[in-house]
Amino acid sequence: MLERDLVLTDADFARIRELIYQRAGIVLAEHKREMVYSRLAKRLRHHGLTRFSDYLARLEKQPTAREWESFTNALTTNLTAFFREAHHFPLLADHVAKCRGPVRVWSAAASTGEEPYSIAMTLIETLGNRAKDAEVVGTDIDTEALERARAGIYPMEQVRKLEESRVKRFFLKGSGERLGLARVRPEVSEMVEFGTLNLLAPEWSVKGPFDAIFCRNTMIYFDKKTQARILERFAPLLKPDGLLFAGHSENFSYISERFRLRGQTVYVLSPR
């Protein structure tokens, strides 16, 4: 089958952009057209379809179909790494060291698990025995990414980028058929609870309060109206002195009055 055996018309692309915006709040720019073609063409071939219009019509006729999950997964970008944007983790460590009672942190775009596991490792390093009572909640809209997150198994070349002391403490190296892979140790994985969550859903399954919320490199896919609505919903889930971590290219200062900048892409609740 030729790579370009399918035709993505302007009308098809416009419908896809509207559907993913309605479903997940994701704003697809014009330059994402090639990405959309390559990812959704696989879904058409899976169903034996030859026209994007037929695939989209099938989706629209079945609002509760499982294919919506695959559609959303296909158009979700999962770019992550262990201790990505490393300057955030010492700030988290300093903050939780001062917390009283069990510590709770929410990773609102958990992807394949690297971020929530990095948070859990930071809590273990910082809290010592108190980490047994700590909880990390990892949520994402991409169900396939969450399956990989729950497995906690990663290529060794990805894990080797960490300090050797962390590799030894927090990972089990695979052997035999698992050679070249590493699994997150149970003391880390048992701290993290993963679940599916669409930030646009009218109800969220997560319950606060949290000492910190990580929502990094996710807001860039939403328009300003959606960003403001999500930030308004984050606010009551944070403890009064809690921290909200944003991505390096995100600025919430001009979107919501509920948060003020405390440091490099780190926000706290604004005083009432």
Side-chain angles (χ1 to χ4, degrees):
M1 184 175 286
L2 297 175
E3 182 63 26
R4 276 293 180 182
D5 57 329
L6 306 174
V7 177
L8 178 64
T9 68
D10 291 344
D12 294 334
F13 185 50
R15 286 175 73 190
I16 292 167
R17 294 173 74 179
E18 180 62 26
L19 289 174
I20 195 62
Y21 178 76
Q22 292 174 355
R23 200 77 178 184
I26 296 172
V27 177
L28 283 177
E30 182 65 36
H31 70 271
K32 297 290 187 179
R33 188 174 182 132
E34 288 300 314
M35 180 205 79
V36 168
Y37 175 89
S38 64
R39 294 185 180 183
L40 288 186
K42 296 175 183 178
R43 299 309 306 162
L44 268 70
R45 294 179 182 121
H46 174 78
H47 291 289
L49 300 173
T50 58
R51 298 194 305 178
F52 281 88
S53 58
D54 292 339
Y55 175 72
L56 298 173
R58 178 183 292 191
L59 280 176
E60 291 176 306
K61 289 177 183 177
Q62 304 176 60
T64 60
R66 286 290 300 274
E67 183 59 27
W68 277 106
E69 189 175 292
S70 298
F71 173 79
T72 304
N73 289 349
L75 298 179
T76 303
T77 300
N78 294 301
L79 180 61
T80 185
F82 289 107
F83 292 93
R84 186 183 184 197
E85 301 192 38
H87 64 281
H88 282 161
F89 294 94
L91 294 174
L92 174 66
D94 290 343
H95 180 67
V96 300
K98 303 169 187 173
C99 292
R100 296 181 178 179
V103 171
R104 300 183 73 234
V105 182
W106 177 22
S107 169
S111 186
T112 49
E114 288 90 332
E115 178 177 275
Y117 287 137
S118 298
I119 294 168
M121 294 174 203
T122 301
L123 298 186
I124 291 171
E125 292 172 339
T126 306
L127 300 176
N129 288 334
R130 289 178 57 208
K132 292 184 294 184
D133 299 320
E135 178 188 14
V136 181
V137 178
T139 64
D140 203 279
I141 193 173
D142 189 331
T143 56
E144 293 178 0
L146 286 173
E147 286 182 12
R148 296 198 295 274
R150 291 188 182 98
I153 299 172
Y154 301 93
M156 197 62 212
E157 60 264 25
Q158 182 180 348
V159 174
R160 283 198 190 99
K161 297 175 183 177
L162 300 175
E163 298 91 331
E164 182 60 26
S165 58
R166 277 180 169 157
V167 176
K168 290 180 179 179
R169 183 174 182 182
F170 297 124
F171 292 89
L172 295 167
K173 295 181 182 180
S175 59
E177 293 182 355
R178 297 282 186 174
L179 189 64
L181 299 174
R183 182 193 292 272
V184 176
R185 286 185 182 271
E187 68 171 301
V188 179
S189 60
E190 289 171 0
M191 290 179 61
V192 186
E193 179 182 349
F194 290 104
T196 306
L197 187 140
N198 182 348
L199 289 172
L200 263 65
E203 298 290 336
W204 287 352
S205 57
V206 297
K207 306 297 179 185
F210 292 100
D211 294 282
I213 296 175
F214 282 66
C215 187
R216 306 188 301 171
N217 307 302
T218 299
M219 292 289 206
I220 54 175
Y221 298 106
F222 303 142
D223 57 21
K224 291 291 189 293
K225 179 181 177 181
T226 303
Q227 292 174 0
R229 188 162 66 248
I230 292 171
L231 289 171
E232 287 295 314
R233 296 179 71 182
F234 279 155
L237 296 179
L238 263 183
K239 292 181 182 178
D241 62 344
L243 303 180
L244 173 64
F245 292 90
H248 66 277
S249 60
E250 297 169 324
N251 188 337
F252 299 161
S253 300
Y254 306 104
I255 299 174
S256 172
E257 296 180 351
R258 300 298 302 275
F259 293 93
R260 61 180 175 84
L261 189 64
R262 199 199 83 166
Q264 187 180 357
T265 57
V266 181
Y267 295 82
V268 293
L269 291 167
S270 299
R272 287 289 191 176

